[in-house]
Amino acid sequence: MSKVKQKVSGCFRVSEYAHAYCRISSYLQSMANRGYNPLIAIQIALAGEAHKVWGKYLPIQYSR
C-alpha cells in the first residue's frame, strides 16, 4: 500500500508522516478484514471507541 502512495506523491517528506500513514493504513486494513466500512472505522477511531472493537487487545501504541 505504501508503494501506491509513493507513486502518487513521489515520496514522504518526513519519516514521521510515513509512520503515520502506515499506522492509519494498517488500522483501516485491519478494520476492513473485520468487515467494517472505512468511513465507519474512521468514526470509531475519532470517537475513541476502538477499545469496543478490539476488546482487551489494542494495537501497540508507539511513544515518540
Side-chain angles (χ1 to χ4, degrees):
M1 187 66 157
S2 61
K3 188 67 173 177
V4 171
K5 177 66 177 166
Q6 186 180 22
K7 286 181 181 178
V8 172
S9 65
C11 65
F12 289 102
R13 301 292 182 214
V14 181
S15 65
E16 185 177 340
Y17 297 154
H19 184 257
Y21 174 81
C22 290
R23 287 195 62 190
I24 293 167
S25 177
S26 175
Y27 171 74
L28 291 176
Q29 289 174 9
S30 295
M31 292 299 278
N33 288 340
R34 291 174 177 255
Y36 285 90
N37 179 313
L39 293 177
I40 300 300
I42 292 169
Q43 286 179 334
I44 291 169
L46 292 177
E49 298 179 355
H51 66 280
K52 292 180 181 178
V53 175
W54 294 97
K56 289 186 178 183
Y57 171 76
L58 288 174
I60 298 172
Q61 297 295 320
Y62 295 99
S63 61
R64 294 183 181 192

